[in-house]
Amino acid sequence: MAEWTIVDSGTYDEATQQALERVLLDRVADGAIGPTLRIWYRDRPAVALGRYQAYADEVAADYVASEGISVVRRITGGGAMFVQPERVITYSLYLPADRVTDDIRQSYSDLDRWAIETLQELGLDAFHEPLNDIAHEEGKIGGSAQRRTDDAILHHTTMSYALDIEAMLRVLRVGAETVSETAIESADRRVARITDHTEVSRSAVIDALIDGIRERHGATERKLTDDELKRAQALVDEQFGTDAWTRQL
C-alpha cells in the first residue's frame, strides 16, 4: 500500500494552486503517488470560484480588477471563497478512491475529522456541520469541496484564520451593494475566525495539522517534483489562467 506524503512548501499564485489540484489528483489516480496532504501558500489575495458558479453573479468585477485580485475557477463545486495570504489556511487531501467511502455525506465528515480534532486540541470548540463545513457555535470556520474521479478523490478545505471580513464583502457580490457596518456585523456573525477563539499562530495551527496526519498515517514530507510543477504551468497556460475557463459561466 502506497505511503502517505506531505507537501508543505512552495508559494504560488491562485491559477497555479488550482492547476496543482488537477495534477496531483491525476497522479494519485494513475498510482504514481500515494495519499497526499498539501498545505497551500499563496502570493496574493484571490477568489476561488466554484466549478459551476457564474463569474458575474459572484464577483465584484470592477473592484477585483482595480485591486489586482485574481479570480480562478476551481475543479470542485461549492461557493466562491475570498482568500488572503496569512489570513486563511487551505489544505488538500488527494486519495485513492478505494480509501474513501462512496457515501459523499459521510466522506466529508471522515476527511475533515483529523483537522477538527486538531483544532479541538488547540482549544477551539470546532465541530463538523453537514454537509461540508467546519463550524464553531459562533459561525463557520471553513468549508470543503470535493472532486471525484473513478480512481481518486480530491478533498480540499479552506479555513478562516484571520480573514478580513470587510475586504471579503467588497470582493464578493454578496457585499457589493454596500459595505455598511450592519453588513459587516452580519457577516461577522456567520464567519468564525480561528483568531477569534485562540492566540495560536497560523504557523502553529499548520504545524499541528501536519503532525495530525503524520501521527495518524506515518506520513513523510516531500517537495513537488519538477515534472509536477511543469505540468501545472502547462495547465495554467491552457486552462486555469485563461478567461475562457474562469468566465465560462
Side-chain angles (χ1 to χ4, degrees):
M1 183 175 293
E3 296 182 354
W4 275 78
T5 57
I6 298 169
V7 177
D8 180 39
S9 59
T11 300
Y12 308 106
D13 61 24
E14 192 67 18
T16 303
Q17 298 282 10
Q18 299 299 339
L20 284 167
E21 298 297 80
R22 177 83 264 172
V23 171
L24 296 178
L25 177 66
D26 289 347
R27 287 189 38 87
V28 170
D30 293 343
I33 60 174
T36 301
L37 163 69
R38 183 170 75 92
I39 305 294
W40 297 34
Y41 297 95
R42 296 178 169 91
D43 64 354
R44 71 194 76 168
V47 175
L49 196 62
R51 174 68 181 87
Y52 304 106
Q53 291 186 298
Y55 184 105
D57 291 343
E58 304 297 332
V59 179
D62 291 343
Y63 182 78
V64 299
S66 67
E67 297 297 314
I69 296 171
S70 300
V71 181
V72 182
R73 185 176 299 279
R74 308 191 300 265
I75 60 173
T76 58
M81 301 287 294
F82 175 57
V83 291
Q84 298 171 294
E86 308 302 325
R87 288 179 175 268
V88 302
I89 297 172
T90 299
Y91 61 81
S92 296
L93 298 173
Y94 316 88
L95 298 152
D98 61 6
R99 296 205 188 186
V100 182
T101 176
D102 292 333
D103 183 333
I104 293 175
R105 185 181 181 88
Q106 183 61 45
S107 73
Y108 277 104
S109 175
D110 291 348
L111 295 177
D112 278 334
R113 182 174 298 121
W114 65 280
I116 291 171
E117 291 175 353
T118 297
L119 293 177
Q120 291 170 344
E121 291 166 3
L122 294 174
L124 273 76
D125 294 326
F127 57 89
H128 174 70
E129 180 81 19
L131 170 71
N132 59 340
D133 287 348
I134 295 176
H136 183 276
E137 64 178 4
E138 295 184 5
K140 174 178 173 177
I141 295 174
S144 304
Q146 294 183 0
R147 176 66 181 266
R148 290 172 173 250
T149 67
D150 289 343
D151 299 309
I153 293 172
L154 159 66
H155 174 98
H156 55 195
T157 300
T158 293
M159 300 189 292
S160 172
Y161 177 72
L163 187 66
D164 185 334
I165 301 298
E166 184 172 340
M168 179 189 76
L169 291 172
R170 292 185 186 281
V171 168
L172 301 180
R173 282 189 60 83
V174 64
E177 296 300 326
T178 174
V179 186
S180 65
E181 290 186 6
T182 300
I184 295 170
E185 291 172 0
S186 177
D188 269 336
R189 289 194 293 272
R190 297 193 302 271
V191 177
R193 295 171 293 200
I194 291 173
T195 50
D196 292 336
H197 306 286
T198 179
E199 295 182 355
V200 177
S201 69
R202 180 175 177 273
S203 62
V205 175
I206 291 172
D207 288 346
L209 289 168
I210 291 171
D211 287 344
I213 287 293
R214 187 183 291 118
E215 290 167 3
R216 287 167 176 78
H217 303 290
T220 57
E221 294 196 30
R222 74 174 181 93
K223 294 182 179 179
L224 294 171
T225 67
D226 289 343
D227 285 346
E228 288 167 343
L229 290 169
K230 184 177 179 180
R231 177 58 183 152
Q233 185 56 58
L235 285 173
V236 169
D237 296 339
E238 298 166 4
Q239 179 180 1
F240 293 96
T242 69
D243 280 349
W245 167 252
T246 293
R247 295 176 182 258
Q248 64 181 237
L249 298 176

